[in-house]
Amino acid sequence: TNEIPALQQAISEMHLAPHAGYALICQSIEKFFYEKFTYSIWQGPDKLATTNATPLTKFLLTSRSGHCEYFATATVLLLRQLGIPARYAVGYYVHEPRGSGYVVRERDAHAWCLVWNAATKAWEDFDTTPPSWVAIEGDRFSAIGELFSDRRSWLGFQYAKFRWGQAHFQQYILW
């Protein structure tokens, strides 16, 4: 409820009305975030909440910079304010092929919105985080750091498999 004034101000800036229709509302929200906001991992002192504004209010009205959680939360609340059912979703952005599968890294964790399309009667992915987030996250890691991180993850996975009796090498340890 604290964010309603900020949501209404953002809706007013997009010149949207609740009766605008599903397609127009989604296009306007996507354009709003892609053109007027930037992706940033770091939230400096100027972007933090104050006694007068919540973090989401600062994101929508002043800083206009944040990470995927901000974009997903704002998108869900804007859609709901406009009468369109929406959900907050989290998971991983799977984009790095390796052999016959994919590598999914910790940095690929992501949040986005699911929006209800009444015409198709289905939930659809709706991600308003600027696409540059993938490159920005990738630039944070060096090749050597990534190698160590991958090895640590692999060892943790192997240990978990062993611990839960899923590893085939248990038989060798008994010998």
Side-chain angles (χ1 to χ4, degrees), residues 29-107:
I29 291 173
E30 186 174 59
K31 182 179 177 185
F32 177 67
F33 285 121
Y34 281 11
E35 291 181 358
K36 298 183 180 206
F37 289 72
T38 59
Y39 181 83
S40 174
I41 300 157
W42 177 249
Q43 299 296 303
D46 60 322
K47 297 177 187 173
L48 298 177
T50 63
T51 54
N52 297 328
T54 65
L56 188 65
T57 296
K58 296 261 310 194
F59 170 73
L60 280 171
L61 302 181
T62 57
S63 75
R64 300 222 162 168
S65 177
H67 42 79
C68 59
E69 289 92 345
Y70 282 97
F71 287 95
T73 301
T75 301
V76 167
L77 294 177
L78 285 166
L79 287 166
R80 288 180 179 177
Q81 190 71 23
L82 291 163
I84 297 175
R87 295 176 175 173
Y88 182 87
V90 293
Y92 291 88
Y93 177 63
V94 181
H95 63 98
E96 190 177 336
R98 179 75 44 94
S100 62
Y102 288 88
V103 174
V104 180
R105 302 179 190 281
E106 192 173 325
R107 70 169 184 242

Side-chain angles (χ1 to χ4, degrees), residues 116-124:
W116 179 253
N117 184 332
T120 62
K121 298 191 182 329
W123 290 101
E124 297 176 349

Side-chain angles (χ1 to χ4, degrees), residues 2 10 20 41 44 51-52 99 101 103 115 118 125 169-170 174:
N2 293 340
I41 300 157
T51 54
N52 297 328
V103 174
V115 61
D125 289 335
F169 60 84
Q170 263 185 328
L174 295 175

